Amino acid sequence: MTTQPLKPRTLFEKVWDNHVVVSPTGEPTILYIDLQLVHEVTSPQAFDGLRLAGRKLRNPARHIATVDHNVPTSSIEARLHIVDQIASAQVNALRKNCAEFGIEFFDVQDSRQGIVHMIGPELGATKPGMTIVCGDSHTSTHGAFGALAFGIGTSEVEHVMATQTLPQSKPKTFRINVEGELPYGVTAKDIILDIIGRIGTAGATGYAVEYAGSAIRALSMEGRMTICNMSIEAGARAGMIAPDEKTFAYLKGRRFAPGTAPINLVSPDARPANPDLGTTTDDYEAQWNLAVEQWRALVTDEGATFDRELTIDATKLAPSVTWGTSPGMVTTIDGKVPVLTDAKDDADRKGFERAYEYMDLKPGMPMEEVAVDAVFIGSCTNGRIEDLRAAATVVKGHKVATTVRAMVVPGSQAVKAQAEEEGLDLVFKSAGFEWREPGCSMCLGMNPDILQPGERCASTSNRNFEGRQGRGGRTHLLSPEMAAAAAVTGHLTDVRNWKFNEA
Ligand SMILES: CC(C)[C@H](C(=O)O)[C@@H](O)C(=O)O
Ligand code: SF4
């Protein structure tokens, strides 16, 4: 029997309340953390700190680690012998630290390696109702499963390693309802870019956002992850979506999912084993059913209130593309680079002027006239199987423009293997795309995949700051479908007018 809550609560409040260790008046709450994800860039100092203090991990089984940011994607050889000294030192340090502290580690060639925000869900380590942290801002991705997931700094990484808890002040709540059917050619990426364009890159600062409404319910888990992934680009502490049948179907049978036989020795599953349940197949099914029953309660109660609410009409959306140097500088593909009088205030005007110059764009220029030198399909925003399928459908039977360097970088080994099984690699390669090994790649300039100064890229990633993809590089954020179309035509292209070629 479940007890009725006294007051209707939001999804966020339920997950938060379930993890409060202690909440002293006037001080941050101490939250229990179910899972910490670890990558090579933000972990070395945390491990060093533990060593200095002579501490162990409080619970190594609630950590999983992989390498993603620094690893070259060009060949297996390049990954096994990393030339860059910093990258090689960070990757080696993670290998050594995981062995020393007892963390399960997925190395460059492991079939479970991938961008840290890809592998959590793939392994079923990301589950509804959990608290999940990582020294990485795009940890918000995991909120797509109804988890409270957020990025933390390196000293906090150390704190979680040592105590499995984290001091946190409670964010306010913000519900964004996206209602109605998405028009043809409009994707999850376009929804989130539109939201950031509306509310601005600080629009959700201080809030935990819940995405709701029929358009969000209609999205696949992949699409929901794309949306939650970019919550941080609107300044949000976290982004969440209530779990439903799609969430449960996605998780069933995954390695760390409850009731997956054989029970794993190292399991970050938050729920203690039910002592009444044994280890037969029937019992596994019962464990799964029990988990799903508990997960079903993770919805915002009727009558619960949010500090802020916004409703968006999905039927009015068009494919989005950024024109400037922040994800909020966004318009639609049939739109134009905004003119100065479109700026809201002085600060905005200064930002526009600087962006025109950095991006080498003229105010009022139609977006479809912007020619690109490079196309990057990948990242923890859009490097999933569904993204690659969508891009391949656009590319099939076409060739990459001779003026464009295009690459597809699967977000994980699992996605790469699945795509190859479906023959998507052949579609891309025969069109002239490079087909790479998994990692963050050109999402950020921390590995050999970078733009040259002045080069312009249509990118499915999540950040378009100055120099993000390499010094002097220019980034236009868009969906995988739109990136694929730009690769073929050599300029930003409205995928709604695309001539699909089934040849
Ligand atoms: C390197 C890492 C700390 C960084 C982040 O926190 O997000 C990176 O993943 C990014 O996307 O900018
Ligand atoms: S793919 Fe990009 S956004 Fe995602 S973790 Fe890597 S660098 Fe960060």
Side-chain angles (χ1 to χ4, degrees):
M1 219 186 81
T2 48
T3 38
Q4 226 23 60
L6 294 174
K7 164 178 168 289
R9 290 182 301 169
T10 66
L11 163 61
F12 162 78
E13 285 160 346
K14 290 181 184 181
V15 181
W16 177 276
D17 292 351
N18 278 345
H19 290 84
V20 173
V21 177
V22 55
S23 191
T25 346
E27 280 177 49
T29 298
I30 306 294
L31 272 194
Y32 182 73
I33 301 301
D34 291 313
L35 174 67
Q36 173 153 250
L37 304 163
V38 180
H39 68 64
E40 76 276 20
V41 178
T42 49
S43 62
Q45 292 92 331
F47 287 112
D48 286 347
L50 289 182
R51 252 189 304 266
L52 263 176
R55 283 176 179 261
K56 291 184 172 16
L57 253 66
R58 173 68 196 243
N59 193 343
R62 290 187 184 280
H63 290 73
I64 51 177
T66 194
V67 278
D68 50 10
H69 286 74
N70 280 338
V71 291
T73 64
S74 51
S75 69
I76 292 171
E77 185 58 22
R79 296 158 83 79
L80 293 172
H81 307 283
I82 302 178
V83 177
D84 182 89
Q85 288 194 355
I86 297 176
S88 159
Q90 287 186 333
V91 169
N92 280 329
L94 188 55
R95 265 181 205 132
K96 210 174 84 309
N97 285 328
C98 286
E100 183 181 334
F101 288 91
I103 296 180
E104 185 160 20
F105 172 57
F106 306 120
D107 210 335
V108 282
Q109 287 316 106
D110 192 295
S111 62
R112 294 153 299 180
Q113 180 266 342
I115 304 169
V116 75
H117 310 307
M118 303 271 311
I119 69 167
E122 284 172 358
L123 292 168
T126 300
K127 286 181 278 278
M130 289 176 94
T131 46
I132 302 176
V133 295
C134 175
D136 194 286
S137 51
H138 297 100
T139 309
S140 57
T141 311
H142 308 265
F145 290 79
L148 173 59
F150 50 91
I152 57 178
T154 298
S155 57
E156 294 173 302
V157 170
E158 183 183 340
H159 191 284
V160 175
M161 285 176 170
T163 65
Q164 209 58 46
T165 69
L166 191 68
Q168 278 291 298
S169 17
K170 195 173 185 175
K172 290 182 286 183
T173 55
F174 184 178
R175 180 161 62 186
I176 302 182
N177 307 293
V178 190
E179 299 288 358
E181 203 177 318
L182 280 180
Y184 173 74
V186 181
T187 69
K189 182 64 160 286
D190 304 306
I191 298 180
I192 190 63
L193 283 172
D194 179 87
I195 290 173
I196 300 166
R198 266 172 220 247
I199 68 175
T201 50
T205 302
Y207 292 95
V209 174
E210 178 176 343
Y211 302 96
S214 58
I216 302 292
R217 298 256 72 84
L219 291 174
S220 63
M221 290 314 294
E222 281 85 351
R224 294 177 190 183
M225 284 188 255
T226 300
I227 300 231
C228 288
N229 174 275
M230 290 192 71
S231 302
I232 185 69
E233 308 311 333
R237 190 78 191 108
M240 302 176 85
I241 295 174
D244 62 9
E245 296 309 316
K246 281 185 200 170
T247 321
F248 311 145
Y250 177 99
L251 286 173
K252 188 149 199 222
R254 294 194 184 253
R255 178 171 162 208
F256 293 121
T260 300
I263 292 288
N264 303 288
L265 294 175
V266 182
S267 169
D269 185 13
R271 209 158 283 104
N274 185 330
D276 299 336
L277 299 172
T279 50
T280 68
T281 313
D282 283 354
D283 295 334
Y284 295 137
E285 199 56 31
Q287 286 181 11
W288 169 256
N289 292 339
L290 185 68
V292 170
E293 192 188 308
Q294 291 167 344
W295 292 345
R296 279 193 216 283
L298 295 170
V299 290
T300 290
D301 295 326
E302 189 80 33
T305 53
F306 289 81
D307 295 302
R308 194 175 159 199
E309 237 175 310
L310 171 72
T311 297
I312 291 172
D313 182 353
T315 66
K316 300 255 162 51
L317 297 180
S320 303
V321 59
T322 61
W323 63 270
T325 49
S326 97
M329 290 174 162
V330 65
T331 182
T332 51
I333 186 62
D334 50 3
K336 295 182 165 89
V337 175
V339 293
L340 269 187
T341 46
D342 294 333
K344 286 192 301 289
D345 51 32
D346 252 7
D348 229 23
R349 251 185 305 279
K350 286 211 177 66
F352 277 26
E353 276 171 340
R354 174 145 189 143
Y356 297 146
E357 193 188 322
Y358 183 82
M359 294 297 289
D360 191 26
L361 292 175
K362 299 257 172 308
M365 180 177 179
M367 290 310 292
E368 279 211 85
E369 283 175 17
V370 177
V372 300
D373 309 296
V375 168
F376 169 61
I377 299 179
S379 87
C380 61
T381 315
N382 280 126
R384 299 188 183 81
I385 189 66
E386 188 184 275
D387 302 316
L388 271 44
R389 285 182 190 137
T393 309
V394 171
V395 163
K396 201 166 184 180
H398 291 283
K399 290 271 183 250
V400 170
T402 51
T403 48
V404 172
R405 166 166 71 114
M407 62 170 149
V408 181
V409 187
S412 68
Q413 299 280 354
V415 167
K416 181 167 187 263
Q418 176 69 29
E420 288 176 357
E421 201 179 302
E422 296 177 19
L424 304 183
D425 57 326
L426 301 179
V427 173
F428 289 120
K429 283 193 278 194
S430 63
F433 277 86
E434 292 173 39
W435 178 250
R436 296 297 194 96
E437 297 296 316
C440 294
S441 183
M442 206 183 259
C443 178
L444 92 173
M446 271 193 184
N447 59 70
D449 303 339
I450 51 170
L451 295 177
Q452 295 308 307
E455 271 191 321
R456 186 183 299 282
C457 181
S459 177
T460 66
S461 52
N462 51 34
R463 285 183 171 163
N464 53 347
F465 309 141
E466 290 184 19
R468 170 73 178 183
Q469 296 186 289
R471 205 165 48 83
R474 301 178 173 127
T475 305
H476 295 276
L477 303 175
L478 33 53
S479 71
E481 288 86 335
M482 293 263 289
V488 172
T489 62
H491 57 85
L492 300 176
T493 299
D494 193 337
V495 75
R496 292 173 300 184
N497 306 325
W498 195 249
K499 300 249 180 319
F500 290 92
N501 187 347
E502 282 309 315

